[in-house]
């Protein structure tokens, strides 16, 4: 018998059972950075800004330290240099329903606003929950995001078990999954793909490049992600976003995972 068949028997079932059952990799993977310190002085904030290649750190009027995960490229320089101020946040449940939800460390968004937004999205996708087709569009990526998107189809994640499929035609798609910086040359393609999709339609941006342009936001041919061209429903940070983070974001759009864990 072919050797790979023996390996298959020895390995057994590798497909994750998440979200039906917990998965240690989902819960333990360091998928984001979180402030530990409550408040910082201006000199400390300036030092953190100089460490960060995308200047993802901000502070409010009261000096509360915040990090914009929509800009954080997860290089880890800040955690290494300032372990008393920052730490790795474990868990792949990093997606947010608003752009502001990616800014952590300050005053959280109001429950009323998020509840209304979640209810509106749930009403829009109520007929899509068990049979969903995704059109993935690369709007100018470095390729890393695409590797993670493709991993959703491998035997470990196997999104088809959840009734989620990828399609080449926007006319068959329910979800538009955008990666890349939103390059100038891809703006028309973004809008044309969105307009070709039938209602109801959902837009998900994945990775900091798609959220806001990442480290390429100031380039001559770069855009600032997809949000300046499309209405975005789910924001997934990461550089790149892991397959579990992608899956969490997709299922969040469909109302098929529990709410985000408490801050």
């Amino acid at each position: 018998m072919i050797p790979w068949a023996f390996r298959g028997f020895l390995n057994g079932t590798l497909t994750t059972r998440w979200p039906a059952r917990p998965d240690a990799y989902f819960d333990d993977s360091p998928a984001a950075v979180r402030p530990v310190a409550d408040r910082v002085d201006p000199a400390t904030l300036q030092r953190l800004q100089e460490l960060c290649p995308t200047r993802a750190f901000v502070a409010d009027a009261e000096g509360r330290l915040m990090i914009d995960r929509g800009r954080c490229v997860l290089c880890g320089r800040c955690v290494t240099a300032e372990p008393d101020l920052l730490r790795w946040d474990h868990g792949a449940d990093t997606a947010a329903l608003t752009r502001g939800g990616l800014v952590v460390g300050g005053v959280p968004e109001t429950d009323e606003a998020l509840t209304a937004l979640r209810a509106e999205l749930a009403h829009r996708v109520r007929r899509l929950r068990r049979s969903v087709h995704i059109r993935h569009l690369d709007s100018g990526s470095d390729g890393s995001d695409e590797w993670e998107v493709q991993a959703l189809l491998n035997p470990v994640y196997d999104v088809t078990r959840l009734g989620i499929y990828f399609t080449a035609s926007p006319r068959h798609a329910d979800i538009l999954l955008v990666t890349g910086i939103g390059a100038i040359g891809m703006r028309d393609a973004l809008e044309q793909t969105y307009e070709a999709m039938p209602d109801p339609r959902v837009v998900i941006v994945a990775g900091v490049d798609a959220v806001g342009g990442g480290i390429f936001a100031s380039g001559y041919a770069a855009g600032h992600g997809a949000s300046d061209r499309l209405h975005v429903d789910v924001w997934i940070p990461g550089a790149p976003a892991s397959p579990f983070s992608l899956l969490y974001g997709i299922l969040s759009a469909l109302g098929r995972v529990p709410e985000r864990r408490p801050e």
Side-chain angles (χ1 to χ4, degrees):
M1 188 180 291
I2 301 174
W4 62 261
F6 285 113
R7 288 199 299 270
F9 285 120
L10 291 173
N11 289 334
T13 302
L14 298 179
T15 305
T16 178
R17 299 296 183 89
W18 190 89
R21 297 182 183 177
D23 188 293
Y25 186 69
F26 179 94
D27 295 326
D28 299 337
S29 58
V33 174
R34 176 175 295 278
V36 175
D38 185 20
R39 288 172 172 79
V40 294
D41 56 70
T44 301
L45 178 62
Q46 178 64 28
R47 187 168 68 249
L48 290 173
Q49 290 281 35
E50 292 172 355
L51 278 171
C52 180
T54 57
R55 302 182 71 84
F57 292 98
V58 293
D60 61 13
E62 299 181 7
R64 279 188 290 259
L65 178 63
M66 297 179 287
I67 181 170
D68 185 352
R69 290 179 175 174
R71 300 177 68 180
C72 175
V73 295
L74 302 178
C75 65
R77 295 171 62 187
C78 57
V79 178
T80 301
E82 301 288 350
D84 294 332
L85 302 178
L86 302 148
R87 64 171 172 83
W88 287 108
D89 200 12
H90 295 269
D93 52 342
T94 56
L97 299 183
T98 65
R99 177 65 179 87
L102 296 181
V103 180
V104 298
V107 179
E109 294 180 287
T110 63
D111 291 338
E112 294 80 5
L114 285 177
T115 299
L117 188 62
R118 192 174 292 112
E120 186 276 331
L121 184 58
H123 177 75
R124 185 153 33 109
V125 302
R126 65 191 184 279
R127 296 187 180 91
L128 307 179
R129 294 192 174 191
R130 298 298 170 186
S131 180
V132 182
H133 288 75
I134 298 175
R135 174 67 170 100
H136 169 226
L137 193 150
D138 173 5
S139 68
S141 171
D142 60 4
S144 61
D145 297 291
E146 283 61 49
W147 280 107
E148 305 303 291
V149 172
Q150 290 178 28
L152 291 174
L153 297 173
N154 70 28
V156 176
Y157 301 98
D158 187 20
V159 294
T160 59
R161 65 190 166 89
L162 301 171
I164 299 172
Y165 308 91
F166 283 83
T167 178
S169 172
R171 299 194 183 280
H172 300 157
D174 309 300
I175 294 177
L176 176 58
L177 177 64
V178 182
T179 57
I181 58 177
I184 293 174
M186 290 299 296
R187 289 180 177 177
D188 289 342
L190 273 172
E191 295 179 352
Q192 290 169 9
T193 300
Y194 179 78
E195 292 299 328
M197 293 172 61
D199 289 323
R201 49 195 169 185
V202 174
V203 177
I204 300 175
V205 293
V208 295
D209 289 349
V211 170
I215 63 176
F216 305 105
S218 59
Y220 75 95
H224 295 277
S227 60
D228 59 343
R229 312 296 293 184
L230 303 173
H231 170 76
V232 178
D233 297 293
V234 178
W235 308 76
I236 308 175
S242 71
F244 259 137
S245 293
L246 293 169
L247 185 53
Y248 179 85
I250 294 168
L251 293 183
S252 293
L254 301 173
R256 291 172 56 180
V257 295
E259 295 182 9
R260 292 189 66 178
R261 56 191 177 183
E263 298 292 344

